[in-house]
Amino acid sequence: MYAVIETGGKQYRVSQGDVIRVEKLNAAEGETIELDRVLAVSNGDKLLVGQPVLENAKVTATVLKHGKGKKIIVFKYKPKKNYRRKRGHRQPYTEIRIENIALS
């Protein structure tokens, strides 16, 4: 059984027990959260697709940790004008474990 969920403006295909990194959520570590933006659910042979979301489906997950991603370098440059700007960025994330996919 798997589900397609939306969180942080991105879509993820998840199954029970999966550990995924999503955009930072306002939840404490160890807290259980419910993701109610479920776009599709499949249980082997049958696929249910929402328009755009399924009203009777929800995914339960546990927050494992918060962190920052790998550093990327943002380098701006204009030729012949001695303009150079170098900045780093680390995107914050939340790591969650999918506990349950429920259809009611």
Side-chain angles (χ1 to χ4, degrees):
M1 181 175 210
Y2 71 87
V4 177
I5 61 169
E6 180 183 348
T7 178
K10 298 177 180 71
Q11 297 176 3
Y12 301 91
R13 181 185 188 268
V14 297
S15 299
Q16 188 171 346
D18 284 356
V19 176
I20 60 171
R21 285 185 175 181
V22 298
E23 294 293 320
K24 189 168 190 311
L25 300 171
N26 290 329
E29 292 184 13
E31 188 176 329
T32 301
I33 58 172
E34 284 186 357
L35 304 166
D36 55 351
R37 299 257 328 149
V38 180
L39 306 176
V41 173
S42 172
N43 56 357
D45 56 342
K46 195 164 92 172
L47 176 67
L48 300 172
V49 180
Q51 295 187 14
V53 295
L54 289 169
E55 300 297 328
N56 58 352
K58 64 183 161 187
V59 174
T60 308
T62 303
V63 176
L64 299 178
K65 68 176 185 174
H66 298 289
K68 288 185 180 179
K70 191 175 172 185
K71 180 175 265 194
I72 62 166
I73 303 298
V74 180
F75 189 75
K76 298 180 180 180
Y77 168 81
K78 295 198 187 290
K80 302 178 193 161
K81 300 297 179 192
N82 197 23
Y83 176 81
R84 294 179 183 89
R85 300 289 183 268
K86 182 178 178 182
R87 292 193 52 163
H89 176 76
R90 294 180 68 190
Q91 185 72 17
Y93 68 85
T94 300
E95 193 169 273
I96 61 173
R97 181 188 311 113
I98 305 302
E99 301 294 341
N100 190 21
I101 299 170
L103 282 168
S104 54

